[in-house]
Amino acid sequence: MILGIGTDLANIERIAGTLARFGDRFRNRVFTETEQRKAERRQDVAGTYAKRWAAKEACSKALGTGLRMGIAWKDMAVTNLPTGQPVMQVTGWAAERLSDMTPEGYEAIIHVTLTDDHPWAQAFVVIEARKLS
């Protein structure tokens, strides 16, 4: 069963401008150390950050809150499997919210996909509840 769906579109140029203006203050407020390491070793640094920004926005929408009610940017983090597939991990208040919205006898699975076509970066998140066996 689907518990939540969220999508977001981010402008890569806007993220590049924010990185130029606020630098580490912006990076450290929004992105985990793992996300920062991934972005900083990519050729398209701003595009990588923009996709992760969009994923966090999309995840907050799928959780049904948006970025309010105690959710923090770093409560949502995008990592990648060895295959390159993006994976959303939640901690803190986001994990509590996910637990609260997951019916008993089910486990929550967060699906995320990222794409970009300069100057746009997009993310789509689906939260699925899968019955435990």
Side-chain angles (χ1 to χ4, degrees), residues 95-118:
E96 290 176 31
R97 171 70 180 149
L98 182 62
S99 177
D100 290 346
M101 64 192 284
T102 305
E104 193 166 323
Y106 287 80
E107 66 176 331
I109 299 161
I110 303 174
H111 303 277
V112 61
T113 187
L114 309 172
T115 191
D116 65 287
D117 187 8
H118 197 86

Side-chain angles (χ1 to χ4, degrees), residues 53-69:
W53 171 280
K56 291 168 187 271
E57 287 273 8
C59 184
S60 72
K61 292 171 186 175
L63 289 168
T65 64
L67 285 160
R68 58 185 175 88
M69 296 174 55

Side-chain angles (χ1 to χ4, degrees), residues 25-101:
R25 195 168 118 210
F26 171 65
R27 282 182 197 87
N28 294 331
R29 182 175 150 252
V30 176
F31 302 100
T32 65
E33 288 182 25
T34 301
E35 290 173 311
Q36 290 180 46
R37 280 193 305 272
K38 173 88 171 176
E40 295 299 326
R41 68 176 186 257
R42 301 299 285 283
Q43 183 173 343
D44 183 10
V45 173
T48 301
Y49 279 122
K51 285 186 278 191
R52 278 149 181 77
W53 171 280
K56 291 168 187 271
E57 287 273 8
C59 184
S60 72
K61 292 171 186 175
L63 289 168
T65 64
L67 285 160
R68 58 185 175 88
M69 296 174 55
I71 199 166
W73 287 103
K74 287 183 172 182
D75 285 349
M76 302 164 288
V78 177
T79 58
N80 296 85
L81 297 176
T83 61
Q85 177 183 346
V87 179
M88 178 66 71
Q89 298 169 333
V90 293
T91 58
W93 193 90
E96 290 176 31
R97 171 70 180 149
L98 182 62
S99 177
D100 290 346
M101 64 192 284

